[in-house]
Amino acid sequence: MQFTIVTLFPEFFDSALGCGLMAKASESGLVSFAFKNPREHTTDRHHTVDDRPYGGGPGMVMMADPLAKTLGSIQASSGKPGRILMMAPKGRPFTQAMARELAQEESVTIICGRYEGFDARLEELFSIEPVSIGDYVLNGGETAALSVIEATSRLVPGYMGHEDSGEEESFSAGLLEYPHYTRPDVYEGLAVPDVLKSGDHKRIAEWRREQALKITLHSRPDILQEAPLSSNDLEILKK
Ligand code: SAM
């Protein structure tokens, strides 16, 4: 899967994409990254990419032209920019479901904003999907893009050691994940639940489901509305 990242700060991505599973995935060619800097599509001496907002107000706005030329060059060189995402607080909330959707794509382009954001005409000129990673404001789209890249890449087949690693994770079945424990058996007087040491896979699965339901009810009752629940699940939630 190819990610093309439009950013004024390509160096921002160096360590995040250069270590751990992501480094392995890019070494093996499972994912690849290209960086396009809008400053390379400017004509003035200072490589200006921003200007003051019409109507006044604080901050600067990313000009349409350097970004449009950058997107144009991606279209011309690869022919396949894939879906074009624009990181923006006003965007569609990024979710695990969207990560699953994106992981099916051959290529995705991600535009990272800075300053107050983008000249609105960019969205009229290109088919762009604004995407938000949450209800808060970051300095720039790079942090948001990294979240999208990481959540998506780990769903590309072959990225994770065990192909089913992603299946039981939070949000995969509409619930948050059950709690995990590892050695030692007792830590600071706190023991691992007996059921997890029983070797009884059916009971373990039931316990985990119950825990996942309770944790979701406690922390994210909003997502329970959409989760596929059995009559047994509903009984557990009533307790
Ligand atoms: N003036 C904008 C607003 O109020 O919506 C915020 C601009 S922010 C300082 C600069 C850039 O950071 C944005 O253009 C966007 O690319 C990125 N950004 C900030 N918060 C984000 C979020 N929650 N999700 C996605 N991108 C975000």
Side-chain angles (χ1 to χ4, degrees), residues 171-176 209 212-213 216-217 220-230 233-234 237:
F171 308 109
S172 51
L175 299 179
L176 301 179
R209 180 81 186 168
L213 286 162
T216 312
L217 180 65
R220 292 293 303 276
D222 55 310
I223 65 172
L224 268 183
Q225 317 284 333
E226 303 294 325
L229 299 176
S230 67
D233 291 338
L234 295 171
L237 290 169

Side-chain angles (χ1 to χ4, degrees), residues 28 35 39 43 59 72 79 81 94 97 102 164 167 173 175 187-188 195 203-204 208 217-218 220 225 233 239:
S28 69
F35 296 93
R39 287 200 197 280
T43 47
F94 182 64
L102 293 175
D164 57 356
E167 308 256 312
L175 299 179
Y187 181 69
E188 299 278 339
V195 60
R203 274 184 59 219
I204 292 172
R208 285 179 166 167
L217 180 65
H218 180 261
R220 292 293 303 276
Q225 317 284 333
D233 291 338
K239 279 186 208 159

Side-chain angles (χ1 to χ4, degrees), residues 60 62 86-92 94 111-118 130-145 148:
M60 301 293 272
M62 289 186 82
M86 169 195 272
M87 294 297 105
K90 70 165 184 182
R92 167 183 171 192
F94 182 64
I111 314 171
C112 305
R114 283 274 157 173
Y115 318 115
E116 291 305 320
F118 314 90
V131 175
S132 166
I133 62 156
D135 293 348
Y136 41 80
V137 178
L138 301 161
N139 276 343
E142 288 76 10
T143 313
V148 172

Side-chain angles (χ1 to χ4, degrees), residues 42-179:
T42 51
T43 47
D44 67 315
R45 204 155 56 91
H46 300 293
H47 300 289
T48 310
V49 290
D50 58 316
D51 207 337
R52 286 165 308 184
Y54 276 110
M60 301 293 272
V61 175
M62 289 186 82
M63 294 188 294
D65 190 58
L67 287 163
K69 289 196 168 121
T70 307
L71 293 177
S73 80
I74 296 168
Q75 277 169 340
S77 62
S78 71
K80 278 193 212 152
R83 284 169 67 172
I84 306 175
L85 313 183
M86 169 195 272
M87 294 297 105
K90 70 165 184 182
R92 167 183 171 192
F94 182 64
T95 59
Q96 188 72 3
M98 189 172 182
R100 267 197 297 274
E101 231 174 86
L102 293 175
Q104 313 289 321
E105 301 284 330
E106 226 173 275
S107 53
V108 170
T109 295
I110 304 180
I111 314 171
C112 305
R114 283 274 157 173
Y115 318 115
E116 291 305 320
F118 314 90
D119 186 310
R121 288 168 291 191
L122 196 67
E123 284 179 71
E124 296 185 50
L125 295 168
F126 293 85
S127 172
I128 288 176
E129 303 172 55
V131 175
S132 166
I133 62 156
D135 293 348
Y136 41 80
V137 178
L138 301 161
N139 276 343
E142 288 76 10
T143 313
L146 274 175
S147 301
V148 172
I149 291 167
E150 197 163 301
T152 301
S153 299
R154 61 201 299 288
L155 298 177
V156 170
Y159 183 96
M160 288 192 272
H162 297 285
E163 279 314 319
D164 57 356
S165 303
E167 308 256 312
E168 290 201 4
E169 283 186 321
S170 294
F171 308 109
S172 51
L175 299 179
L176 301 179
E177 199 183 41
Y178 49 79

